[in-house]
Amino acid sequence: MKEPPKTLTTTCSGIASNTTERQSSLEDINLDQFLKTSNYEDTVKQLDIYYGIVKRQLLRHQSPITGLFPVMSTDQEVGSVRDSVYCAAAVWSLYQAYRRIDDDRGKSYELGQSTVKCMRGILQCWIKQACRVELFKQRQSNQHALHSKFHLHTGEEIYSDDFYNHLQIDVVSLYIIFLVQMITSGLQIIYTQDEVAFIQNLVYYVERAYRTPDFGMWERGSKYNNGTPEIHASSIGMAKSALEAINGCNLFGEKGASWSVVYVDIDAHNRNRSIFETMLPRESSSKGVDSSLLLTLSFPAFASHEERLVEQTKQNVISRLRSKKGFKRFSRDGFLSKVEDKSRRYYHTGEIKDFEGYECEWPLFFIAMIIDGVFKNNNEQIEEYQNELRKCLHTDAYSDPVVTMYYAPDGEGSYIKAPSQSLFLWGQSMFIIAQLLTAGLLHINELDPIRRYLPSYNRPRRAGRYSAFQGKMFEETPDGTATDLVVQIVLIAESLRLQAMMATYGIQTQTPHEVEPIQIWSSTELIKVYQHLGVNHKIGLSGRPPRPVGSLGTSKVYRICGMTVLCYPLIFEVSDFYLYRDMALLIDDIKTELQFVGKYWRLSGRPTVCLLIREEHMRDPQFKEMLDLLAMLKKGYCDGMKVRIGRLQNLISSSCTEHLDFMNQINLPNKENSFTQVNHEYVGYQSLTDVPKAQTYNEQKISVEHYKHKSRNEIIEALRHMESIYCLCQLWGILLNREGPNFEVNGLTVTQALTQLYHRAGSLRYWRAVRHCSSLLHHIVDSISPFITTVLVNGKEVTVGVIGQKETVFDKPMTPAEIQEVMYTTVQPYDVIQAVLQQEVVLYCGRLIATNPYMFRGILKIRVGWVLEAIRIYLQISGQASIDLDNLSPYQTYSVTTSPIGGMFMSST
């Protein structure tokens, strides 16, 4: 028989006698014997051994006041949230193992309450910073981030924002994941309604991880350690997992009420999922590969179940970062290396090349691979990494096994070990969890009660009234589309007259009166409802930010205070921005909407999409194309996606239903705000030939630049006699720049006059004037930020600006307010119309790269000003020189931008 390693033999004999055979779990593993221990006494002895290790190595370092743990056992001042969560997880793991025996003499209770004390300690530290959460919801800035380090014993802030990089989305997400796991196991961690509201706001905190540059798991941001945050796949993956875990979770456990349930925005989850899987196998723009992804893709997050992608990423990490004594965190990592200048916080430019070959090696990741092997039931992987881990173990004064924190190469073939007198608590916690698993004392279902390790469709269904991410229980095609998923469609006509006319073409619709008592709402009304979720005036929290409800969110049926509500998608909103006025673009958007919902639906029940047909649509010259689309949908397919048009009352039973039980009657929006029916005295239209069409309008492009040098009275006099809409736009623009938005002419302010002119030009489809007014009113494209983020995570940059002038580079995600400021300071002063036209192109590029990324191969930077110039050249060489780019319809602009020729021009520029 193979002799067990001396370190483990010494450890075991030093802990207890007659236990060598069971204790050498690193040596002898038999996964088939999980939970089948030889006898009860043996199990108790083994658990008692680990109880002693946990007491000596972890609990002795837990603060008796806050419950926090330090990073290193020798630290008496700084408590770390990340390390505390992992320590709590190890203590909780032993608690789970002890629950299987009858008489533990109070040990399991102590372990469970120690876990609760730690998790509540973190919660109390963060609740003191509730004002930061409120500010962070508005603008995801590192100045407003929750702290990830606190004073170990007082729980007060210990490092200022200038001194330490606190913005680490993965820390908050990690806390949420383990909070749900522990509550599911039966621990009572959340006590009051105030705490429920705070946890709900933590969900809002992490929902926008997909566009929030942070400092990542290693707390340094970019690889260059110069104080710059960046988008990290590990942080986004952790956030995605946290959102999946907590959606529909009752924080009071089985004793919970309707108001202790947490809700998640399914569209925010989907954006995080999409961006995360787009980034893989990379970690960030500066780090091509990073060991943090092992913890994100396996225990504890299990952030993706796309097997090919997960395996590709893991192999990438193993092949490039695995070394003799552990894994490097990432290439050219200078942290704790022999050649790093410890006196400086940041590195000099180009300094990281000096760290190549000197990167520290971390045995922590050997442990992560052992745990991963247990979850995958891969004995070879477990044994391989156990053999490697043995070389990194030593014993402490109590003869307990200790994992060395790191090994730093000395450049001469040897290593400098981390100081042995100080325990690295994160590593010890992972080691204890791995030992419990491999010894057969802890089952993976006890370590992961919510079954994160399983694909979503294989997880136990959560009982209750609330939607949960159940995944697709259908056969999937290679592109991820479910072949048997049916997207339900409800057609709502604005009036009886419109309904009758549609019926003559064989299109059956319902009016708002016919679907009563079910109400049809704008998603804006749903935003107002959700703003009451998480409100708590005692700790200064305002609830859900007024973020748009996306395509997936509007595909649910909602039950609100006894009412049943269906919302129509954003594409039917009468928006400030003019794109909704283009019928051709709307038709394309409807197809895209249905494809998107069908591809990314991850909830139980079918999605139900409400399509509005307004009378203004009927008057559009292109309404015939809308009828063609509806006829295609009636046949049951939309570009290969299965759809079903039906009466709303018949589709309710198979729909995904969300119960918004947090609402009360007092907070309900007025019923008048629901989508109302337009009533006519007679039903006069029997076919499209009877419908009065919208006027087509065009005029010569005339510049009134010379009025910039004339007096105010001359401009006002010109306004009174001017008939050209475009000239009126320019004259009002001159007054706006000279007198300000509140200057009055004939009882109208400049802003009011421009708004009226904007709507008039929009009804005439006179796009040049529409764009000019929209720019003067500083409009911004709806939901432009996610499209920019999509471009960025595909490894591209976007620049905006007029040719010949300074360009602004979008190299990191930005808020809509920041984008608006750039557009109207970089572009508008030189070309008024391009301030909105360039927004259109950014939107189209975001759409295109999400669906056809191959068109962007070889492109590192998309220069939007030059894309517009390419479109202008394309119009000239294709014999359309008479068409002015400024007056192209949005759909025409979109078509040229996304055509192969447009893509070719984009590449060449």
Side-chain angles (χ1 to χ4, degrees):
M1 180 180 241
K2 188 177 179 182
E3 183 181 5
K6 292 183 179 179
T7 52
L8 289 178
T9 305
T10 304
T11 299
C12 298
S13 61
I15 294 174
S17 59
N18 301 323
T19 59
T20 304
E21 182 181 353
R22 285 289 302 169
Q23 178 64 20
S24 57
S25 57
L26 284 175
E27 180 74 17
D28 303 310
I29 289 213
N30 186 351
L31 291 175
D32 293 329
Q33 297 300 313
F34 255 61
L35 304 183
K36 297 178 182 177
T37 48
S38 55
N39 57 67
Y40 181 79
E41 289 87 5
D42 188 41
T43 302
V44 174
K45 286 179 182 178
Q46 292 301 300
L47 289 175
D48 286 346
I49 290 170
Y50 283 105
Y51 175 78
I53 294 175
V54 166
K55 289 281 284 185
R56 290 186 292 272
Q57 291 190 341
L58 300 182
L59 292 180
R60 71 181 292 197
H61 304 296
Q62 183 178 22
S63 168
I65 302 168
T66 64
L68 298 179
F69 291 84
V71 175
M72 307 299 295
S73 61
T74 51
D75 195 336
Q76 298 299 312
E77 285 195 1
V78 183
S80 165
V81 175
R82 179 186 285 104
D83 297 77
S84 295
V85 171
Y86 277 107
C87 288
V91 175
W92 169 70
S93 298
L94 186 57
Y95 158 80
Q96 288 284 81
Y98 259 114
R99 294 176 70 187
R100 211 180 299 124
I101 66 175
D102 287 337
D103 183 17
D104 59 23
R105 303 191 181 188
K107 294 186 179 71
S108 68
Y109 181 82
E110 179 196 11
L111 294 167
Q113 294 310 112
S114 297
T115 302
V116 171
K117 185 175 184 66
C118 177
M119 297 298 281
R120 287 192 57 76
I122 295 170
L123 181 62
Q124 298 311 313
C125 290
W126 277 346
I127 282 184
K128 294 177 188 176
Q129 298 188 328
C131 59
R132 286 177 168 269
V133 176
E134 191 62 22
L135 291 169
F136 192 85
K137 289 189 302 185
Q138 300 167 19
R139 183 179 179 182
Q140 291 72 46
S141 165
N142 50 344
Q143 282 80 26
H144 305 143
L146 285 171
H147 282 204
S148 52
K149 296 286 176 74
F150 293 92
H151 193 283
L152 186 60
H153 300 300
T154 67
E156 298 299 323
E157 296 179 5
I158 194 168
Y159 295 142
S160 69
D161 297 296
D162 295 330
F163 183 78
Y164 180 79
N165 302 325
H166 287 289
L167 178 50
Q168 298 160 34
I169 297 290
D170 72 292
V171 169
V172 182
S173 303
L174 182 74
Y175 177 83
I176 291 173
I177 291 170
F178 275 112
L179 178 70
V180 177
Q181 296 277 24
M182 292 166 181
I183 289 174
T184 304
S185 74
L187 292 180
Q188 296 293 316
I189 299 175
I190 305 301
Y191 293 170
T192 66
Q193 191 168 358
D194 302 328
E195 294 171 359
V196 171
F198 185 79
I199 297 298
Q200 179 66 64
N201 277 269
L202 285 189
V203 170
Y204 303 145
Y205 186 97
V206 303
E207 272 183 348
R208 288 198 163 174
Y210 64 90
R211 75 172 209 203
T212 306
D214 74 342
F215 293 99
M217 199 173 289
W218 311 132
E219 308 171 359
R220 288 191 166 193
S222 81
K223 183 177 187 173
Y224 308 105
N225 187 28
N226 55 9
T228 304
E230 63 181 357
I231 295 286
H232 288 92
S234 57
S235 294
I236 299 173
M238 282 284 187
K240 169 192 176 284
S241 297
L243 295 176
E244 286 178 356
I246 203 165
N247 184 49
C249 173
N250 198 313
L251 295 178
F252 288 175
E254 296 178 355
K255 301 176 182 178
S258 61
W259 48 263
S260 54
V261 174
V262 176
Y263 293 80
V264 167
D265 180 355
I266 181 177
D267 290 281
H269 164 268
N270 182 67
R271 289 192 186 109
N272 280 292
R273 183 206 60 76
S274 175
I275 300 295
F276 172 61
E277 293 181 351
T278 299
M279 291 185 71
L280 293 180
R282 294 182 65 87
E283 160 69 347
S284 66
S285 59
S286 69
K287 305 185 192 86
V289 61
D290 194 303
S291 293
S292 61
L293 291 171
L294 295 178
L295 301 172
T296 305
L297 293 171
S298 187
F299 176 81
F302 299 100
S304 177
H305 292 281
E306 298 289 337
E307 291 186 13
R308 180 193 58 79
L309 198 56
V310 171
E311 197 57 33
Q312 179 187 358
T313 304
K314 285 182 180 177
Q315 289 306 315
N316 195 29
V317 173
I318 293 169
S319 63
R320 296 175 61 182
L321 298 179
R322 179 179 171 178
S323 297
K324 294 180 181 178
K325 297 292 186 179
F327 283 66
K328 302 171 186 177
R329 301 192 308 179
F330 52 89
S331 62
R332 296 185 173 182
D333 171 27
F335 181 59
L336 297 177
S337 69
K338 174 186 176 183
V339 294
E340 182 187 48
D341 184 350
K342 311 293 190 296
S343 65
R344 285 188 288 111
R345 181 182 176 191
Y346 297 133
Y347 296 155
H348 297 311
T349 302
E351 186 178 359
I352 63 165
K353 67 178 183 297
D354 299 335
F355 304 131
E356 190 164 356
Y358 288 93
E359 302 97 331
C360 289
E361 298 169 15
W362 298 73
L364 167 68
F365 298 105
F366 286 159
I367 303 172
M369 292 301 293
I370 292 172
I371 297 175
D372 178 64
V374 174
F375 275 98
K376 288 165 45 178
N377 198 13
N378 186 333
N379 288 346
E380 292 181 4
Q381 179 175 319
I382 296 168
E383 186 171 353
E384 176 185 354
Y385 286 98
Q386 283 174 332
N387 292 334
E388 297 294 332
L389 183 61
R390 288 192 192 96
K391 305 169 187 175
C392 308
L393 292 176
H394 62 275
T395 57
D396 60 13
Y398 301 96
S399 296
D400 294 335
V402 175
V403 181
T404 304
M405 178 183 181
Y406 66 89
Y407 291 86
D410 63 1
E412 299 175 0
S414 299
Y415 291 92
I416 304 168
K417 289 175 58 176
S420 59
Q421 68 273 17
S422 184
L423 287 174
F424 177 42
L425 298 190
W426 180 2
Q428 287 306 117
S429 301
M430 292 282 283
F431 177 72
I432 289 167
I433 293 171
Q435 287 288 84
L436 290 171
L437 287 170
T438 56
L441 299 170
L442 180 70
H443 192 272
I444 55 175
N445 289 345
E446 294 169 318
L447 181 60
D448 184 13
I450 62 175
R451 312 295 196 270
R452 290 277 329 140
Y453 72 93
L454 293 174
S456 55
Y457 51 81
N458 281 340
R459 293 173 195 151
R461 289 184 175 272
R462 182 178 285 147
R465 295 152 56 85
Y466 310 102
S467 67
F469 296 108
Q470 297 294 345
K472 295 185 176 180
M473 301 187 66
F474 313 103
E475 179 187 353
E476 291 194 1
T477 58
D479 66 352
T481 305
T483 56
D484 292 328
L485 177 67
V486 176
V487 178
Q488 300 180 153
I489 299 174
V490 178
L491 300 179
I492 302 295
E494 190 175 31
S495 66
L496 285 169
R497 183 168 69 181
L498 178 57
Q499 183 187 43
M501 194 274 289
M502 298 290 289
T504 64
Y505 290 91
I507 307 296
Q508 300 302 315
T509 61
Q510 291 177 277
T511 64
H513 286 172
E514 289 178 342
V515 300
E516 289 180 350
I518 302 171
Q519 295 187 30
I520 305 298
W521 279 12
S522 158
S523 62
T524 306
E525 298 304 310
L526 193 58
I527 291 171
K528 294 176 185 176
V529 169
Y530 270 121
Q531 283 179 320
H532 297 281
L533 178 61
V535 173
N536 190 285
H537 300 298
K538 288 166 65 177
I539 53 179
L541 295 173
S542 65
R544 185 183 186 273
R547 299 168 181 167
V549 177
S551 305
L552 302 175
T554 55
S555 298
K556 299 180 186 178
V557 174
Y558 292 89
R559 295 281 295 168
I560 308 171
C561 297
M563 295 188 308
T564 304
V565 173
L566 180 65
C567 293
Y568 53 85
L570 271 171
I571 58 175
F572 292 103
E573 293 281 0
V574 180
S575 162
D576 281 344
F577 208 77
Y578 52 83
L579 294 181
Y580 80 95
R581 292 184 177 275
D582 190 341
M583 174 63 72
L585 195 61
L586 176 63
I587 293 169
D588 192 79
D589 283 345
I590 291 172
K591 294 179 182 178
T592 304
E593 182 91 0
L594 296 174
Q595 286 289 328
F596 178 86
V597 171
K599 184 173 183 179
Y600 296 116
W601 187 253
R602 291 293 186 273
L603 300 179
S604 53
R606 289 175 176 173
T608 304
V609 179
C610 176
L611 301 185
L612 291 187
I613 306 171
R614 302 178 188 268
E615 291 220 335
E616 65 177 292
H617 295 158
M618 179 175 61
R619 290 189 286 271
D620 193 284
Q622 294 175 307
F623 187 63
K624 180 64 169 61
E625 284 75 8
M626 172 69 86
L627 289 176
D628 293 340
L629 171 64
L630 297 179
M632 179 180 73
L633 298 180
K634 185 180 175 183
K635 294 178 180 178
Y637 288 92
C638 175
D639 295 338
M641 174 65 61
K642 288 184 180 179
V643 298
R644 177 188 172 192
I645 295 179
R647 292 175 57 83
L648 180 53
Q649 289 86 343
N650 297 337
L651 300 178
I652 286 284
S653 60
S654 55
S655 298
C656 172
T657 304
E658 184 73 271
H659 295 261
L660 303 187
D661 293 336
F662 60 87
M663 283 295 290
N664 57 54
Q665 294 290 134
I666 300 173
N667 298 327
L668 274 181
N670 294 328
K671 187 175 179 180
E672 291 74 24
N673 293 335
S674 60
F675 183 66
T676 54
Q677 184 168 319
V678 177
N679 294 310
H680 300 286
E681 293 181 2
Y682 67 98
V683 180
Y685 302 147
Q686 296 302 317
S687 71
L688 282 179
T689 57
D690 301 327
V691 180
K693 300 299 181 187
Q695 300 176 29
T696 54
Y697 182 88
N698 207 349
E699 64 181 22
Q700 188 177 357
K701 182 178 179 181
I702 303 172
S703 174
V704 292
E705 285 288 308
H706 57 285
Y707 274 93
K708 288 184 177 180
H709 309 292
K710 295 191 176 184
S711 67
R712 178 204 301 170
N713 291 335
E714 288 178 293
I715 296 172
I716 294 173
E717 187 64 25
L719 283 172
R720 293 194 177 113
H721 299 96
M722 187 67 68
E723 294 184 359
S724 166
I725 293 178
Y726 185 55
C727 290
L728 286 172
C729 296
Q730 296 174 81
L731 290 172
W732 282 112
I734 294 170
L735 278 182
L736 177 68
N737 292 329
R738 189 183 295 184
E739 308 295 341
N742 298 318
F743 179 72
E744 289 193 9
V745 178
N746 297 331
L748 280 180
T749 66
V750 174
T751 299
Q752 290 170 337
L754 281 171
T755 303
Q756 288 184 5
L757 200 57
Y758 172 68
H759 290 301
R760 180 184 167 195
S763 64
L764 297 172
R765 308 300 193 266
Y766 182 32
W767 300 112
R768 179 185 294 116
V770 168
R771 288 187 173 106
H772 198 97
C773 291
S774 182
S775 178
L776 293 175
L777 292 168
H778 283 209
H779 288 168
I780 188 80
V781 169
D782 304 302
S783 300
I784 191 172
S785 293
F787 290 105
I788 290 179
T789 304
T790 302
V791 173
L792 296 178
V793 299
N794 275 277
K796 321 298 179 187
E797 292 181 349
V798 178
T799 71
V800 297
V802 177
I803 295 174
Q805 303 296 333
K806 182 181 177 182
E807 293 179 316
T808 299
V809 180
F810 292 162
D811 56 0
K812 63 181 180 181
M814 303 172 74
T815 64
E818 291 170 333
I819 297 166
Q820 185 178 42
E821 183 179 355
V822 168
M823 288 295 181
Y824 290 104
T825 55
T826 303
V827 182
Q828 196 199 47
Y830 307 104
D831 191 317
V832 175
I833 287 179
Q834 281 209 25
V836 291
L837 198 52
Q838 292 202 18
Q839 291 182 53
E840 284 185 53
V841 174
V842 169
L843 177 72
Y844 303 150
C845 288
R847 283 184 180 178
L848 184 61
I849 202 169
T851 54
N852 300 291
Y854 64 87
M855 288 187 66
F856 291 79
R857 285 178 189 159
I859 300 175
L860 297 178
K861 187 175 289 186
I862 301 169
R863 303 176 70 183
V864 177
W866 284 98
V867 172
L868 288 174
E869 183 63 20
I871 295 175
R872 202 184 306 274
I873 294 170
Y874 170 67
L875 293 173
Q876 291 174 356
I877 65 176
S878 61
Q880 305 176 62
S882 60
I883 301 177
D884 194 329
L885 173 61
D886 295 346
N887 204 31
L888 276 181
S889 75
Y891 183 71
Q892 287 175 304
T893 311
Y894 172 62
S895 299
V896 178
T897 305
T898 58
S899 69
I901 295 179
M904 184 174 66
F905 272 115
M906 195 185 307
S907 302
S908 64
T909 57

